[in-house]
Structure formats: C-alpha cells, structure tokens
Amino acid sequence: MSTLDVVTDASVVAKRNLIKIKRVPDLLVFTTLSPIMFVLLFAYVFGGAIDPTGGGAAYREFLIAGIFAQTVVFGATNTGAGLADDVKKGIIDRFRSLPMAPSAVLTGRTLSDVVNNVLVLVVMSITGLIVGWRINTGPLEALWGFVLLLIFAYAISWIMAWLGLLIPSPEVINNASFIVIFPLTFVANTFVPLDTLPGPLRVFAEWNPVSAVTQAARELFGNPDPNPMSAASLAWPLQHPQLYTLIWAVAVVAVFAPLASWQYRRAASR
C-alpha cells in the first residue's frame, strides 16, 4: 500500500475512535475530572505549605505544568485499554479482514488519543487560569510547550499500544499501567522542587523523562520554582529538558512502534 493509503486508513480509524468519545462522553468527562481535582487539591491544600509567604500563588504557577505532564501520561493509557478492548471484542480480527494497512489501526488509535489529550489540555488550561496560573512568555514559546507535552504523550501511547495488544484485558492494563505510571509521575519535579527529595530519589527524578518534560513546559510557560533559594539541578536532562524530552520520545517510538506492530500481527492471528 502507498503512504497515502496508510494515511487515509489511519484517519478513518482515528475518526472511529473520536466518534466513540462523542457517543460515550463519560470517557472525556472522567479523564478531565481527575486532573482538575489534583489541581484544586495541590493548589489549595498543599500550596500554602510549599509557598507560605505567597499564600500558594507562586506554587500554583509551578504546579500546572506538572499536572499537564501527569495528565497526558495517564491519558496515554487510553490507547492500551482501547486496543485491549478491541482485541477482546474481536474488532481487531474484523480490521484484519478489511483491505487496509495493518499499521493504520495503531497509528489511528494513537493519533486519536493525541486529539483527546488536546481537549483535556484545553480544559486543564482553563482550570489553571481560574486558580491563578499564568503564561509569562510569548505565544510561540507557550505553543511549543503544549506541543512538547503532546509529543511526549504520543510516545508513551506506543508503549501502551504494545501492552494493550500483549495483555488483551482492559482491567489488567489499567491496573498495571497505574502501578508503573503513578511513581513515575510522583517521583519527579511534577509537584515539588527536586531539592526536597532524598538523595537516591532525587537522582532518579533528575533522569526521569517526566521531570524533563515538566521542566521544559515550565521554562516555556515562564513558571519558575516557588522557592527562589532552591538549588538548581546540575543533571544534564534538566539543563537541556527540551532536547532530553525529544530524545526520549524518538527513542520510545523507534522501539515500541515496531514492537506494537509485531504484536498486532500476533494478536490478530490468534
């Protein structure tokens, strides 16, 4: 098949997944409610403790990029759960019977989840603005910050696509991904400055790609650390967070896109 055929087929699959969100709006509602609760909880419960002199105002600006990163990473689990559900219901076998490119199913699934993340980021941005978050840089820098978050989420979705085809059970995928993603998003600079972490955890957090994408977003949004006395990390990933994020994204897609495609052929043949 030509590249145009693959793109056309992928767009059809992506449209199918987006229509599912329209028909089952609960998927989008509950995806956005969780991060909104995190914003309110951390901003007003912990904000005053972390930024006591400013009443939490500076912390709320610091927090939002971390919430963005956590949200898009957790949002990537929809890819795995959706594919696992399709395998379980036999929909993957139906796709195999159609004259379409095999890669279109996975590409369409991951791209539709990018669109879902765009909608979630819009809701999260509005929530952030309500609680006091502000973008203190230019529009192009801010736009690039959002794009970096989506690129990172797209890469993670390929890991979840592989897992969703490997473990064709939506319930298991949700539980397994939570066990992995939860510590990745919390042992990072998402919610607290890194100098508050003990030695081993700080080293892990400094090289954690979630910390890098969060740091990159903060720099591009112009949201500084709420504690001006915090020691800046000398770790290479946090000195070059945009580059480190892109390296991770490219590496993950290069490894897991072929793995997911191979697993798709296996899942469809079972």
Side-chain angles (χ1 to χ4, degrees), residues 103-270:
S103 60
V105 176
L106 300 178
T107 304
R109 177 76 239 190
T110 53
L111 289 177
S112 66
D113 289 330
V114 170
V115 176
N116 181 62
N117 271 326
V118 169
L119 298 175
V120 172
L121 283 176
V122 169
V123 174
M124 291 302 303
S125 298
I126 294 172
T127 306
L129 292 171
I130 292 173
V131 301
W133 172 64
R134 295 294 181 268
I135 295 175
N136 301 311
T137 55
L140 291 180
E141 290 174 294
L143 179 61
W144 176 235
F146 286 115
V147 170
L148 265 184
L149 288 164
L150 293 172
I151 290 174
F152 186 74
Y154 180 73
I156 299 298
S157 69
W158 279 103
I159 300 177
M160 295 302 163
W162 174 65
L163 288 175
L165 295 168
L166 183 66
I167 312 170
S169 170
E171 296 81 7
V172 175
I173 285 293
N174 285 327
N175 291 332
S177 59
F178 183 83
I179 292 172
V180 175
I181 291 177
F182 195 81
L184 274 179
T185 55
F186 273 85
V187 186
N189 61 356
T190 44
F191 304 116
V192 295
L194 289 183
D195 61 350
T196 63
L197 300 177
L201 286 181
R202 175 170 178 170
V203 173
F204 176 84
E206 288 175 334
W207 290 86
N208 185 346
V210 176
S211 291
V213 70
T214 301
Q215 181 72 13
R218 284 194 182 115
E219 291 180 358
L220 291 166
F221 296 149
N223 301 145
D225 191 317
N227 182 4
M229 302 303 293
S230 294
S233 173
L234 298 178
W236 188 88
L238 298 184
Q239 293 294 321
H240 308 86
Q242 297 181 46
L243 178 59
Y244 189 66
T245 298
L246 291 174
I247 290 173
W248 257 93
V250 171
V252 166
V253 173
V255 171
F256 284 94
L259 280 176
S261 298
W262 174 74
Q263 191 62 41
Y264 171 80
R265 290 191 292 271
R266 287 195 63 205
S269 64
R270 286 203 294 263

